[in-house]
């Protein structure tokens, strides 16, 4: 297949999505929300430099931030789930506040710290690990946070998406990284930041999605909501990383393995409370790219490359603009049998 700039640009244009929101109804369509608010003292005075933690002990999500001069704090790109806000300041009673994020409309929370009561007691207890139940969701699903995605085992980390999906209930692994759900023939779909990808996605047919771009994943394997389609067996709902409200930082990866297997790439992101960017580029190749029909592994080279960028602009509390671009190419040989190789087939 010839590599032409026109074909590459066409692939890029086909994968380009623009999400605009300027009203509460439009904002509710997004795949992640915002938790914001203020921390004040007993007399209502804003408290600066207070550590605020948002966490979900079931999915493993954990994010920290500190309040500004006016006592305000913000958590951006929060996947839809129940959470607990933890605020613990010496000299004040600790606050653990439960909240539910189910819409892209910012969730406003005010945390008031009270002085501790004058008591004298001794108590011994462990770290609170109360389950955060989802009482408004009837689907059977598993939430996977980026803390697990970063260390998910895989022969090549860039192809870890298939390993993550097949580690959840109901999925069976097939050849070359394909998988099926409860007997269905690849009847699953990806949803990336609210955008549905209904075509079969994986290195066998196209490009598998890089798990490194995911802030979180929700694998829905039972009672799939009607919004995802009539004949969908399972949904892999992905919220991508965002640089909104995060300090700039980057990451570089590289690895080599047997069968001339290699991978390399980098990612970076960060921004302010009004603008954020996250970008990732990586590539991998191997001389054992697919399952070979014989032990000699003839004519079995393949390589894949992917690029991702997400731009967020939040000029105010009501409007949000997001640009997400995902593009990739895969090139692979078809492995030969001994007879085909002797004949010089490529």
């Amino acid at each position: 297949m010839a590599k032409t700039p026109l074909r590459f640009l066409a692939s890029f244009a086909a994968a380009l999505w623009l999400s605009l929101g300027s009203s509460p109804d439009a904002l509710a369509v997004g795949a992640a929300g915002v938790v914001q608010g203020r921390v004040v003292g007993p007399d209502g005075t804003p408290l600066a430099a207070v550590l605020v933690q948002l966490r979900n002990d079931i999915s493993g999500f954990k994010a920290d931030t500190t309040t500004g001069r006016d006592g305000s704090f913000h958590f951006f790109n929060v996947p839809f789930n129940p959470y607990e806000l933890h605020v613990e300041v010496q000299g004040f009673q600790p606050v653990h506040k439960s909240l539910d994020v189910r819409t892209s409309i910012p969730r406003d929370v005010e945390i008031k710290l009270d002085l501790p009561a004058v008591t004298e007691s001794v108590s011994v207890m462990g770290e609170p690990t109360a389950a955060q139940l989802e009482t408004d969701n009837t689907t059977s699903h598993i939430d996977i946070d980026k803390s697990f995605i970063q260390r998910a085992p895989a022969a090549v980390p860039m192809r870890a998406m298939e390993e993550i999906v097949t580690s959840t209930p109901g999925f069976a692994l097939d050849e070359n990284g394909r998988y099926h759900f409860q007997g269905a023939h690849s009847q699953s779909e990806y949803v990336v930041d609210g955008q549905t990808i209904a075509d079969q996605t994986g290195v066998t047919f196209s490009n598998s999605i890089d798990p490194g771009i995911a802030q979180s994943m929700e694998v829905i394997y039972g009672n799939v909501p009607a919004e995802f389609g009539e004949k969908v067996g399972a949904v892999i709902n992905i919220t991508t990383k965002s640089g909104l409200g995060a300090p700039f930082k980057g990451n570089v990866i590289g690895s080599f393995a047997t069968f001339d297997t290699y991978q390399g790439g980098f990612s970076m992101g960060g921004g302010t409370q009004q603008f954020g960017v996250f970008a990732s580029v990586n590539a991998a190749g191997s001389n054992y790219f697919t399952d070979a029909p014989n032990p000699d592994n003839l004519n079995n080279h393949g390589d894949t490359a992917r690029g991702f960028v997400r731009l967020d602009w939040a000029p105010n509390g009501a409007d949000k603009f997001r640009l997400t671009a995902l593009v990739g190419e895969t090139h692979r040989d078809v492995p030969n049998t001994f007879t085909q190789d002797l004949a010089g087939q490529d």
Side-chain angles (χ1 to χ4, degrees), residues 11 13 23 55 70 87 105 172 177 184 194 201 205 211 216 226 266 275 295 310 316 342:
S11 300
S23 68
R55 58 192 290 180
D70 58 351
V87 181
I105 300 174
T201 303
F205 301 103
S216 71
F266 73 92
F275 180 80
R310 171 174 168 172
N316 51 59
L342 288 173

Side-chain angles (χ1 to χ4, degrees), residues 38-89:
R38 291 199 316 156
V39 177
V40 299
D43 57 353
T45 303
L47 299 179
V50 172
L51 178 64
V52 182
Q53 184 178 84
L54 184 67
R55 58 192 290 180
N56 181 309
D57 292 331
I58 304 301
S59 69
F61 179 93
K62 185 181 293 184
D64 296 326
T65 189
T66 55
T67 59
R69 293 183 178 181
D70 58 351
S72 64
F73 63 88
H74 296 81
F75 293 98
F76 297 98
N77 204 39
V78 180
F80 295 164
N81 253 328
Y83 295 93
E84 274 194 355
L85 269 175
H86 288 234
V87 181
E88 298 183 7
V89 181

Side-chain angles (χ1 to χ4, degrees), residues 22-39:
S22 59
S23 68
D25 290 338
L27 287 171
V29 179
V34 176
V35 177
Q36 60 188 21
R38 291 199 316 156
V39 177

Side-chain angles (χ1 to χ4, degrees), residues 255-271:
S255 64
F256 298 89
T258 55
F259 297 108
D260 296 329
T261 298
Y262 58 88
Q263 85 158 2
F266 73 92
S267 61
M268 59 165 291

Side-chain angles (χ1 to χ4, degrees), residues 112-286:
K112 185 176 181 180
L113 299 181
D114 295 321
L115 295 173
V118 180
T119 59
E120 184 176 348
S121 63
V122 177
S123 60
V124 179
M125 64 184 65
E127 180 71 16
T129 57
Q132 293 166 279
L133 301 178
E134 298 184 51
T135 58
D136 60 347
N137 193 333
T138 62
T139 66
S140 299
H141 68 279
I142 289 182
D143 296 309
I144 305 172
D145 185 64
K146 65 179 180 181
S147 57
F148 174 80
I149 296 173
Q150 291 171 350
R151 61 178 189 273
V156 178
M158 199 176 139
R159 291 183 62 176
M161 181 62 76
E162 291 82 3
E163 302 294 334
I164 295 172
V165 172
T166 54
S167 67
T168 59
F171 288 88
L173 190 63
D174 204 342
E175 86 286 351
N176 302 324
R178 289 200 304 161
Y179 53 81
H180 307 288
F181 174 74
Q182 291 187 354
H185 184 69
S186 302
Q187 286 180 282
S188 58
E189 67 184 28
Y190 284 88
V191 179
V192 181
D193 288 338
Q195 173 68 42
T196 300
I197 304 175
D199 295 329
Q200 295 189 31
T201 303
V203 293
T204 307
F205 301 103
S206 58
N207 282 79
S208 59
I209 295 177
D210 179 12
I213 68 174
Q215 169 83 356
S216 71
M217 292 171 51
E218 179 190 26
V219 181
I220 304 174
Y221 58 89
N223 196 22
V224 177
E227 64 192 82
F228 295 112
E230 180 183 358
K231 299 181 180 180
V232 178
V235 174
I236 300 95
N237 193 9
I238 299 175
T239 300
T240 62
K241 294 178 180 178
S242 170
L244 202 63
F248 273 97
K249 60 182 179 180
N251 183 41
V252 178
I253 62 170
S255 64
F256 298 89
T258 55
F259 297 108
D260 296 329
T261 298
Y262 58 88
Q263 85 158 2
F266 73 92
S267 61
M268 59 165 291
T272 66
Q273 294 185 3
Q274 285 77 40
F275 180 80
V277 58
F278 176 81
S280 173
V281 176
N282 51 43
S286 175

